[in-house]
Amino acid sequence: MTSFRVIAIPTQAAETVRSTRVAPRYGHPAHAEIARGYGPCRLCLRTFAVGVDRRILFTWDPFAETGVHALPGPVYIHADPCERYPEDAGFPDGLRSVPLTLHAYGARRRFLAEEHVSDGCVEPVLERLLALPGVAYVHVRDTEAGCFDLRIEAAAVGPHTRDDVLC
């Protein structure tokens, strides 16, 4: 049972990058290429098929809404349209095999805790981090590359059940 929401980048941001080939907020050029790494796409949260999928690299600030100075970094999306990952769908199964680093933040981007997950059992770690005093959200990052993958927030409404996840 999980009690969190999975927050991918906004659909509008991905559509803007695809149509303009420019990073939102920064105006930096976006770069399209055949995937040389697994990703994931920051919109649908599926990993890329290396050597097959076309992806777009661009600058993104996962802290933009905090009102604190910018902290942008590189992210990828599919070059072709894809659907945004549903917020209530639980943790993306395709990321369970990837070593992940979870950063817990409080108000105004205050860093509160860090945990590493390499066995795919993300939910217990997320539940523990979200229960810490003052935690407002968690950023999930790729441990090897250090890149931002997605944001996790506590659910506003009842928990989501995932019977297929055993941790």
Side-chain angles (χ1 to χ4, degrees):
M1 183 177 291
T2 61
S3 57
F4 57 82
R5 296 181 317 135
V6 175
I7 312 295
I9 68 168
T11 301
Q12 183 59 48
E15 290 173 353
T16 298
V17 169
R18 286 185 187 117
S19 66
T20 66
R21 293 293 200 256
V22 173
R25 293 190 71 202
Y26 300 100
H28 301 153
H31 171 74
E33 66 180 17
I34 298 296
R36 292 182 284 154
Y38 55 84
C41 172
R42 290 357 183 250
L43 181 63
C44 70
L45 302 179
R46 291 188 327 262
T47 55
F48 294 106
V50 176
V52 176
D53 288 342
R54 282 194 57 74
R55 64 185 184 176
I56 301 173
L57 169 69
F58 64 99
T59 304
W60 179 255
D61 184 1
F63 294 104
E65 77 285 348
T66 66
V68 180
H69 66 277
L71 194 59
V75 295
Y76 290 96
I77 57 171
H78 283 104
D80 293 324
C82 57
E83 294 293 318
R84 186 171 189 252
Y85 190 82
E87 292 185 7
D88 64 350
F91 195 82
D93 287 333
L95 297 182
R96 292 184 185 281
S97 62
V98 177
L100 300 171
T101 300
L102 282 59
H103 289 165
Y105 293 95
R108 300 199 42 80
R109 201 176 72 204
R110 184 170 163 236
F111 181 78
L112 298 172
E114 175 180 280
E115 297 255 359
H116 298 275
V117 177
S118 58
D119 63 1
C121 290
V122 180
E123 289 82 358
V125 179
L126 286 171
E127 298 291 343
R128 186 168 56 251
L129 289 173
L130 289 169
L132 292 173
V135 170
Y137 56 92
V138 173
H139 278 187
V140 177
R141 303 180 79 84
D142 180 296
T143 298
E144 294 171 356
C147 301
F148 168 81
D149 287 342
L150 61 119
R151 177 180 170 133
I152 301 286
E153 297 177 356
V157 263
H160 173 74
T161 303
R162 292 284 307 240
D163 295 328
D164 59 332
V165 176
L166 301 173
C167 291

